[in-house]
Amino acid sequence: MTQLLFAVTAADHWTLKDGSKHPTGFWAEELVESHRTFIEAGFDVVVATPGGTAPVVDEGSLSVDANGGDEAKVADQKEYLASIESTLQKPLALEEQKAADFDAIFVPGGHGPMEDLAVSSQFGALVSDFLDGGKLVSTVCHAPAALLPARRSNGAWAFDGYELTGFTDEEETQAGLADVAPWLLETRLRESGAKFSSGAAWGPHIVVDRNLYTGQNPASTKPLADRVASALS
């Protein structure tokens, strides 16, 4: 059975550049669609967070407006989250996980990863172990921020030169948070050495480079998860 480490943010806020705290967490669609796809593929999905802290959903991600006005979609997300509540309430600690025990790692987004995973050298080392072991690494939307602390002993970024995607500066601007953000994901990834690829704002866009699989935004989650499941099957 395929063993997949499902690494979820434990942050419940994102610290803006003025020091204020913007409520956040994981983005519902990104967790629901990916987790469900991997379960349906028959994978053993291990949910882990920093410190083993129960993750929280970004309530904004469960609004009808954030889901294209689709009330049925929101109801489905709430129903699925309720069905896995016991799992989410008792995640394992990311710090205790080893790449050797898994075939792949997947990180759903929301602004949460920009608060905790993006600055965790310990998580960076874990992701590097997956990468170096030839194991599949996948992130969606804001979760590529979790790749940033993957540094070599000489300070070089482990993903330097990789083609990837993530939530774009254009999308952050349209979402109304670019002006207050302490840093922008696309800009930071480019500065770190990524070959950043973007599609139309809010439309699905997937990039695969070697064993790195990334999706641009919430709409990219299902196509990305399907691609990951296919690669691991």
Side-chain angles (χ1 to χ4, degrees):
M1 180 181 289
T2 298
Q3 305 290 316
L4 184 138
L5 180 59
F6 199 76
V8 184
T9 177
D12 62 3
H13 69 275
W14 180 33
T15 304
L16 304 181
K17 64 182 178 182
D18 65 358
S20 62
K21 295 181 178 181
H22 176 72
T24 188
F26 63 81
W27 198 258
E29 180 176 4
E30 295 166 29
L31 186 144
V32 167
E33 294 299 337
S34 56
H35 189 276
R36 177 160 49 198
T37 297
F38 300 143
I39 291 295
E40 290 179 348
F43 297 170
D44 181 11
V45 180
V46 174
V47 176
T49 66
T53 301
V56 298
V57 65
D58 185 322
E59 291 297 338
S61 69
L62 290 172
S63 70
V64 175
D65 288 345
N67 288 277
D70 191 338
E71 294 183 2
K73 181 178 177 181
V74 174
D76 174 69
Q77 291 172 6
K78 290 181 177 179
E79 181 179 355
Y80 191 80
L81 288 175
S83 75
I84 62 171
E85 182 177 5
S86 60
T87 298
L88 294 179
Q89 287 300 308
K90 295 182 179 180
L92 299 183
L94 264 176
E95 296 82 359
E96 297 175 3
Q97 308 311 306
K98 297 179 180 179
D101 295 333
F102 299 94
D103 300 296
I105 183 170
F106 183 90
V107 190
H111 284 104
M114 297 181 72
E115 181 73 20
D116 56 6
L117 299 180
V119 295
S120 171
S121 60
Q122 195 165 6
F123 186 74
L126 177 62
V127 170
S128 296
D129 286 345
F130 272 90
L131 183 71
D132 296 343
K135 299 184 176 188
L136 193 151
V137 175
S138 185
T139 64
V140 66
C141 201
H142 287 91
L147 305 177
L148 291 170
R151 296 283 168 178
R152 304 303 189 189
S153 58
N154 63 358
W157 189 39
F159 294 92
D160 185 21
Y162 276 73
E163 183 177 2
L164 53 74
T165 190
F167 202 65
T168 65
D169 292 356
E170 177 187 7
E171 288 167 323
E172 199 72 82
T173 298
Q174 292 180 10
L177 289 169
D179 289 342
V180 297
W183 48 275
L184 296 176
L185 180 61
E186 176 185 347
T187 296
R188 182 66 59 86
L189 289 169
R190 289 184 184 278
E191 291 173 347
S192 297
K195 295 179 180 178
F196 193 91
S197 171
S198 60
W202 310 106
H205 181 61
I206 309 301
V207 175
V208 176
D209 186 351
R210 289 160 276 185
N211 53 325
L212 177 63
Y213 289 59
T214 52
Q216 180 173 318
N217 46 34
S220 305
T221 307
K222 178 58 174 170
L224 176 64
D226 286 340
R227 189 76 176 270
V228 168
S230 178
L232 291 171
S233 298

